[in-house]
C-alpha cells in the first residue's frame, strides 16, 4: 500500500521561505515515476485548492496565486516530491498535502503558517 508523508511545514514570517517534502513508501521507483503528483492546500474554513502539479511526462502546472513564488519538483529515485515556497504571504497559511492525481491517495499534510 502506498503511503505519503509530508514534512517541512512550520511557522514563518511573511516574505520567508519553506521547502515541503512528500515522501512515498510502498511503491517502486518505476511506478512512482509514472504518477502525476500534486500539492494541494486547505485553509481553515475554506475549500481545498490545487497548488501545483508535476506530471509524469514533466509538465508542470501552477495555480495563478503561486506562480513565480512556488516551485514543484520531484526526485523519482527518492520517490519524493517537493514544493519550494518563496515570498510567502499570510494568505498561504494552510494545511499542505500531496496527492497522487487520479487517486484518493494523499498524505496527512504539513501545516504552514505565515505571520504578518
Amino acid at each position: 500500500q502506498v503511503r505519503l508523508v509530508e514534512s517541512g511545514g512550520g511557522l514563518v514570517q511573511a516574505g520567508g521561505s519553506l521547502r515541503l517534502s512528500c515522501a512515498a513508501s510502498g511503491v517502486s521507483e518505476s511506478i512512482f515515476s509514472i504518477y502525476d503528483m500534486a500539492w494541494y492546500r486547505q485553509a481553515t474554513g475554506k475549500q481545498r485548492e490545487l497548488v501545483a502539479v508535476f506530471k509524469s511526462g514533466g509538465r508542470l502546472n501552477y495555480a495563478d496565486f503561486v506562480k513565480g513564488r512556488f516551485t514543484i519538483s520531484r526526485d523519482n529515485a527518492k520517490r519524493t516530491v517537493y514544493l519550494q515556497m518563496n515570498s510567502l504571504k499570510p494568505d498561504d497559511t494552510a494545511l499542505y498535502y500531496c496527492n497522487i492525481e487520479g487517486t484518493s491517495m494523499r498524505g496527512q499534510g504539513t501545516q504552514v503558517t505565515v505571520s504578518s
Side-chain angles (χ1 to χ4, degrees):
Q1 183 176 354
V2 179
R3 185 183 180 212
L4 301 174
V5 178
E6 299 91 343
S7 61
L11 174 63
V12 64
Q13 288 188 332
S17 298
L18 285 173
R19 188 192 193 205
L20 307 184
S21 299
C22 169
S25 60
V27 62
S28 67
E29 176 184 348
S30 59
I31 295 298
F32 180 81
S33 69
I34 65 174
Y35 288 154
D36 294 343
M37 297 298 300
W39 283 98
Y40 287 82
R41 71 184 189 185
Q42 187 164 19
T44 302
K46 295 185 177 181
Q47 290 190 333
R48 183 182 76 164
E49 297 179 306
L50 175 64
V51 177
V53 180
F54 196 130
K55 298 195 174 185
S56 60
R59 183 171 179 176
L60 310 180
N61 291 322
Y62 293 95
D64 287 343
F65 54 77
V66 302
K67 283 182 179 177
R69 300 189 298 125
F70 292 9
T71 302
I72 188 171
S73 61
R74 67 192 292 168
D75 185 334
N76 290 332
K78 295 183 178 179
R79 289 162 289 167
T80 300
V81 62
Y82 305 95
L83 186 68
Q84 177 66 44
M85 306 188 297
N86 299 328
S87 302
L88 283 161
K89 306 173 183 179
D91 285 349
D92 294 320
T93 296
L95 180 70
Y96 286 72
Y97 63 91
C98 61
N99 189 88
I100 300 174
E101 291 294 84
T103 78
S104 60
M105 290 183 280
R106 51 160 286 185
Q108 293 296 312
T110 185
Q111 179 68 35
V112 171
T113 303
V114 184
S115 64
S116 56

